[in-house]
Amino acid sequence: MSISTPLQARITAIGSYVPAHILSNADLQGMVDTNDEWIVQRTGIKERRIAAANEFTSHLCIAAVQNMLTRYPSSLDDVELIIVATHTPDLPSTPVACQIQAHFCIPETGAYDLNATCAGFTYALHTASGLVAAGVHSKVLVVGGDSMSKITDYTDRSTCILFGDGAGAVLVEREEERPAFLAHHLGSDGSGGKHVYRTGLSSNLNGIPLAGEGKLVQNGREVYKFAVTTVPQGIEKLLMKSGLPHTTIDWFIPHSANLRIIESISEKCGIAFEKALYSLEYYGNTSAASIPLSLDLGIKEGKVRSGDTLLLYGFGGGLTHSGLIVRWG
Ligand code: UT7
């Protein structure tokens, strides 16, 4: 496998948002047959944030962009493309990206949503960095946001303890002096789509009848197996493409689905668990938002510093997975 050439693009700003309402493990104990000890031991999750009844993915994403603008003053007037990674848009046929365009009155920009479920943010970063490095666009706004509470069945203890709502936003801009996107890796396995899905127009997948009626259904054990086998293999390929040894990774930022999955992947890849950044403890599994939320927490806590090498890896429904090695700042 040949070593990839770093892409002449860089993340120049980040922002994030989670709703105010907290759903704790104790709260869930009153809703389904579960308990704090089981949830913490099996997932690492203590709390999650839940959007208000009238708060949807567009609101979460707009708030994340607003937070980014407050912290990294930058004009959005010259944004040429908005990509929103989500699988929970407010309306099936209106891209959240267009709602962002309208809210910030961005004058001349393309706008679309990308659905790669929990791997959506890394897929969107892959696309944005490629387009910027190729010279097709000079400034792309990438947002990952999901309102998982709106598609969660709160009578199903195997899923309702996992998910939360949130959004994260970054700007990807042209950078010739210090190219920051060092390697990419993408993958998918559609035969595993039956293990985590939500029915829509059809309740049939590849000939298999599905249950759930519009709420998320998951075979946790199968998705767990997928994560702890496919992701380490993907990380190995990613590191080979970058030409970097795993010891040069300063921060490992996987999709925040389950702390045990993160521990297992870290161990298999020889990346010290202390280098993992995750957002699941207080936000749960926020799907496309989980990686930018984890990165932003790492920045706010003073862990992630300019020049650090980050390994981001998303995985989820589809099944999909996608990783990048990125230099921060
Ligand atoms: O973001 C998309 C990607 N998704 C993921 O990465 C999720 C991957 N999967 C997981 O994180 C884990 O499989 C879960 C956290 C979903 C489940 O953990 P597990 O250790 O795989 O549990 P399990 O499904 O094997 O269930 C073990 C036992 C079962 O009882 P029996 O059959 O052994 O008597 C379940 O009925 O735990 C029971 N159980 C619960 N008990 C208390 C399942 N959910 C709960 C619960 N509270 N909430």
Side-chain angles (χ1 to χ4, degrees):
M1 193 177 289
S2 59
I3 293 175
S4 5
T5 311
L7 296 185
Q8 294 185 325
R10 182 167 286 271
I11 299 173
T12 57
I14 184 166
S16 61
Y17 173 78
V18 288
H21 179 66
I22 295 171
L23 181 68
S24 68
N25 290 351
D27 296 331
L28 282 161
Q29 213 163 309
M31 295 160 66
V32 287
D33 181 14
T34 191
N35 56 77
D36 177 62
E37 192 190 351
W38 191 97
I39 302 172
V40 171
Q41 196 187 43
R42 300 284 181 133
T43 72
I45 299 169
K46 294 178 179 159
E47 297 176 357
R48 47 315 273 138
R49 298 298 183 96
I50 304 296
N54 61 353
E55 192 177 30
F56 295 93
T57 301
S58 66
H59 303 110
L60 310 182
C61 291
I62 287 167
V65 175
Q66 198 67 63
N67 175 259
M68 178 186 83
L69 293 176
T70 311
R71 293 160 53 199
Y72 298 81
S74 171
S75 171
L76 295 184
D77 287 353
D78 54 348
V79 164
E80 295 175 356
L81 179 63
I82 306 165
I83 308 175
V84 175
T86 187
H87 61 108
T88 54
D90 307 16
L91 305 167
S93 303
T94 305
V96 173
C98 291
Q99 293 171 274
I100 293 176
Q101 181 280 325
H103 182 88
F104 292 100
C105 303
I106 305 174
E108 286 186 55
T109 184
Y112 65 87
D113 291 357
L114 175 160
N115 176 359
T117 64
C118 301
F121 184 76
T122 44
Y123 265 82
L125 262 192
H126 168 88
T127 308
S129 58
L131 289 170
V132 168
V136 178
H137 297 297
S138 55
K139 194 171 187 178
V140 179
L141 174 61
V142 174
V143 188
D146 271 309
S147 306
M148 296 302 291
S149 65
K150 308 278 195 239
I151 62 161
T152 295
D153 175 359
Y154 284 97
T155 65
D156 175 8
R157 70 174 181 172
S158 73
T159 54
C160 74
I161 52 129
L162 300 173
F163 298 104
D165 303 332
V170 297
L171 279 174
V172 177
E173 298 188 65
R174 180 86 181 165
E175 169 66 62
E176 283 162 34
E177 302 292 311
R178 298 177 300 144
F181 284 85
L182 308 184
H184 296 73
H185 181 68
L186 295 180
S188 60
D189 175 11
S191 72
K194 59 181 183 261
H195 298 314
V196 50
Y197 63 81
R198 175 164 65 106
T199 58
L201 295 182
S202 170
S203 54
N204 194 297
L205 181 69
N206 304 330
I208 302 165
L210 303 173
E213 293 185 1
K215 297 292 183 192
L216 194 122
V217 174
Q218 176 171 256
N219 180 336
R221 285 183 200 181
E222 287 298 330
V223 181
Y224 193 103
K225 272 193 258 169
F226 161 74
V228 300
T229 53
T230 307
V231 175
Q233 289 164 5
I235 288 175
E236 197 181 320
K237 287 178 186 153
L238 187 58
L239 286 165
M240 274 170 70
K241 286 182 193 174
S242 72
L244 297 171
H246 66 267
T247 47
T248 58
I249 302 301
D250 294 300
W251 299 107
F252 172 42
I253 314 180
H255 169 44
S256 262
N258 181 321
L259 201 56
R260 286 191 300 138
I261 291 179
I262 298 175
E263 281 167 349
S264 169
I265 297 172
S266 301
E267 194 184 324
K268 286 183 180 170
C269 295
I271 299 174
F273 177 66
E274 293 67 39
K275 290 184 173 185
L277 297 179
Y278 46 88
S279 48
L280 59 83
E281 201 173 6
Y282 294 103
Y283 300 154
N285 177 344
T286 52
S287 194
S290 90
I291 289 178
L293 283 175
S294 304
L295 172 57
D296 209 12
L297 281 175
I299 292 164
K300 287 176 185 161
E301 288 167 6
K303 293 177 175 170
V304 178
R305 299 188 180 187
S306 184
D308 280 357
T309 304
L310 316 178
L311 195 160
L312 317 182
Y313 214 104
F315 58 88
L319 300 168
T320 53
H321 61 102
S322 157
L324 302 100
I325 297 180
V326 181
R327 204 147 274 151
W328 177 252

